[in-house]
């Protein structure tokens, strides 16, 4: 996953990539091994992921060379490679970027490559759906939930099962604050991470990204602002990344922290008993949280035959038979329901995460596609303005909506 998703893409580069892809049609296939690019530099050639890549290449009858990059570097390198007609045969890329690359002509649709997405949960596949055509298959997903410190809640007399909506969460935070403990920490930094963490509350209010200034949206931002005003959340949240927010929770002083599946191993090392709750919606139930994770895609190739072979490799990488090991290594919830069941059977503590993923939403869903970055940036700006006191929540979101609307 892209833990800190960054989706600023150069439209000129995408346009140039489209021309390059079109001009390459009909040329001879490039010599040499097939290439797979991914955002997993933490995995070397001995890892389970690398072995699956080799296996899938062998099953497709080709030798595969894998290159790994940091997520932001990967996006930039793909755009440049597409311009130069040197794009990889298979690309594993952060899910919000898929629609931009697809609309720019960099990616081929599953209908063209034969890539099979039939077993994937529809809500996770939605990030790859562009105007009715699907591009790629999610290799897995992560999302957000509330970690809680059992010791702090016990000291405050709070039963975590009582936290079912915003009102009951507020009541729990009030009890924690009353006994001199710290309440909740999260990331509200002025980047995509801030929008990523705000979205469960935004969507949980009933708001939609097409109207940033709705009454629901205002209620969500007012909720966050109230936590700072009451001392339930620290002022540091305005500069917190998801990593620094976690570090605050790991001190053992906070009752709650909003964070993701990728912190599970760190939670086990924290030195205090913890649990995980779904982020509650305003009126109760689990709020939709944004999905993180990557899609396995096929960039435009020099020939249809090359694209079909790349499609076979991509299908192999995302098949239920192979994806469990990769999802385990990545701390991902599988995108395939049957594999999710196997994950929960092996690790029962994953159930809350599987449940959260089932109601999660892609950030580029609701037909937003390439519009999402132009909405997300004013949204995180509004969050910053409200939490720092520069603007009231309703004024901040009204300004954000005006900016988003003018950027269509």
């Amino acid at each position: 996953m892209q833990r800190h998703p960054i989706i600023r893409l150069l439209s000129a580069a995408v346009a140039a990539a489209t021309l390059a892809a079109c001009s390459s049609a009909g040329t001879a296939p490039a010599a040499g091994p097939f290439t797979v690019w991914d955002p997993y530099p933490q995995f070397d050639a001995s890892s389970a992921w690398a072995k699956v890549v080799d296996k899938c290449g062998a099953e497709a009858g080709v030798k595969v060379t894998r290159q790994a990059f940091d997520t932001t570097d990967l996006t930039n390198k793909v755009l440049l490679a597409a311009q130069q007609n040197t794009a990889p045969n298979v690309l594993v890329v952060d899910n919000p970027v898929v629609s931009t690359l697809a609309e720019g002509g960099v990616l081929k649709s599953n209908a063209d490559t034969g890539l099979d997405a039939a077993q994937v949960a529809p809500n996770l596949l939605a990030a790859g759906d562009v105007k009715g055509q699907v591009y790629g298959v999610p290799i897995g997903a992560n999302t957000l939930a509330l970690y809680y410190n059992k010791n702090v809640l016990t000291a405050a007399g709070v039963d975590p099962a009582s936290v079912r909506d915003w009102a009951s969460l507020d009541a729990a935070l009030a009890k924690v604050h009353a006994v001199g403990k710290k309440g909740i920490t999260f990331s509200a930094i002025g980047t995509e991470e801030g929008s990523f963490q705000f979205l469960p509350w935004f969507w949980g209010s009933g708001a939609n990204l097409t109207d940033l200034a709705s009454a629901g949206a205002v209620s969500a931002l007012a909720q966050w602002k109230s936590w700072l005003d009451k001392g339930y959340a620290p002022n540091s949240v305005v500069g917190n990344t998801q990593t620094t927010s976690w570090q605050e929770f790991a001190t053992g002083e906070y009752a709650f922290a909003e964070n993701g599946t990728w912190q599970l191993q760190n939670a086990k090392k924290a030195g205090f008993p913890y649990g995980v709750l779904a982020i509650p919606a305003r009126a109760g139930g689990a709020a939709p949280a944004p999905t993180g994770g990557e899609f396995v895609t096929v960039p435009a190739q020099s020939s249809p035959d090359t694209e079909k072979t790349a499609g076979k490799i991509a299908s192999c990488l995302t098949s239920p038979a192979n994806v469990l090991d990769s999802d385990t290594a990545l701390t991902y919830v599988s995108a395939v329901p049957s594999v999710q069941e196997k994950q929960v059977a092996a690790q029962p503590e994953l159930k809350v995460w599987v449940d959260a993923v089932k109601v999660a939403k892609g950030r580029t869903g609701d037909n937003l596609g390439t519009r999402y970055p132009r909405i997300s940036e004013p949204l995180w700006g509004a969050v910053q303005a409200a939490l720092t006191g520069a603007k009231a929540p309703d004024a901040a979101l009204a300004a954000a909506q005006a900016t988003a609307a003018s950027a269509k």
Side-chain angles (χ1 to χ4, degrees):
M1 178 241 182
Q2 165 72 325
R3 307 299 189 229
H4 317 296
I6 298 175
I7 50 179
R8 293 177 177 273
L9 300 176
L10 300 174
S11 58
V14 173
T18 305
L19 292 174
C22 292
S23 65
S24 69
T27 59
F34 271 58
T35 53
V36 174
W37 287 9
D38 66 52
Y40 311 134
Q42 69 271 36
F43 296 125
D44 62 19
S46 66
S47 66
W49 165 248
K51 290 177 180 177
V52 171
V53 171
D54 290 340
K55 173 187 173 184
C56 289
E59 289 185 4
V62 295
K63 179 176 175 56
V64 170
T65 297
R66 171 183 170 251
Q67 289 185 270
F69 307 91
D70 289 332
T71 298
T72 305
D73 289 342
L74 177 61
T75 298
N76 294 334
K77 287 182 184 297
V78 167
L79 290 171
L80 179 60
Q83 293 178 59
Q84 298 174 341
N85 196 25
T86 58
N89 301 102
V90 176
L91 171 66
V92 186
V93 67
D94 194 26
N95 75 75
V97 179
V98 173
S99 60
T100 297
L101 295 181
E103 290 195 9
V106 176
L107 302 180
K108 300 296 289 187
S109 73
N110 294 358
D112 291 331
T113 64
L115 184 51
D116 183 10
Q119 298 189 62
V120 174
N123 67 314
L124 301 182
L125 192 61
D129 189 329
V130 181
K131 298 178 180 177
Q133 289 286 334
V134 177
Y135 296 80
V137 177
I139 195 167
N142 51 38
T143 193
L144 297 165
L146 291 180
Y147 288 86
Y148 61 87
N149 183 323
K150 293 182 179 181
N151 289 342
V152 173
L153 293 188
T154 298
V158 173
D159 178 358
S162 69
V163 178
R164 298 178 178 176
D165 53 22
W166 290 5
S168 55
L169 177 56
D170 268 358
L173 291 170
K175 289 181 179 180
V176 168
H177 188 66
V179 297
K181 301 292 185 180
K182 296 181 179 179
I184 187 168
T185 181
F186 49 90
S187 169
I189 193 170
T191 68
E192 177 62 20
E193 277 186 271
S195 291
F196 190 75
Q197 289 238 321
F198 183 59
L199 281 174
W201 312 93
F202 180 91
W203 284 330
S205 74
N208 188 289
L209 286 171
T210 57
D211 183 3
L212 299 183
S214 68
V218 173
S219 72
L221 189 48
Q223 180 79 358
W224 268 22
K225 174 60 173 168
S226 74
W227 291 343
L228 272 68
D229 292 344
K230 295 174 182 177
Y232 296 170
N235 290 329
S236 59
V237 297
V238 298
N240 272 350
T241 65
Q242 293 178 106
T243 298
T244 55
S245 172
W246 180 262
Q247 290 167 349
E248 288 179 338
F249 181 67
T251 64
E253 299 175 356
Y254 285 84
F256 298 98
E258 180 182 352
N259 227 295
T261 47
W262 54 91
Q263 298 291 5
L264 275 171
Q265 295 306 314
N266 288 329
K268 294 174 182 178
K269 301 172 185 176
F272 53 81
Y274 76 94
V276 182
L277 290 171
I279 296 172
R282 179 174 60 180
T291 55
E294 292 80 32
F295 269 55
V296 181
T297 65
V298 176
Q301 311 287 311
S302 55
S303 76
D305 287 344
T306 306
E307 290 169 355
K308 293 290 186 183
T309 301
K312 290 179 181 178
I313 296 171
S315 292
C316 176
L317 290 174
T318 55
S319 72
N322 295 324
V323 80
L324 179 58
D325 286 344
S326 298
D327 285 337
T328 300
L330 294 165
T331 324
Y332 279 174
V333 172
S334 176
V336 179
S338 62
V339 179
Q340 292 173 359
E341 293 174 5
K342 293 179 181 179
Q343 290 181 301
V344 172
Q347 300 182 70
E349 67 270 23
L350 290 179
K351 185 178 186 307
V352 66
W353 294 106
V354 169
D355 290 345
V357 163
K358 285 179 179 178
V359 298
K361 294 178 63 172
R363 284 162 279 170
T364 58
D366 297 328
N367 297 314
L368 293 179
T370 56
R371 290 176 55 205
Y372 173 73
R374 300 193 293 273
I375 295 170
S376 176
E377 184 167 355
L379 180 60
W380 81 57
V383 171
Q384 287 269 299
L387 296 190
T388 59
K391 292 181 180 178
D394 56 349
L397 287 168
Q401 176 61 24
T403 300
S406 68
K408 287 182 180 179

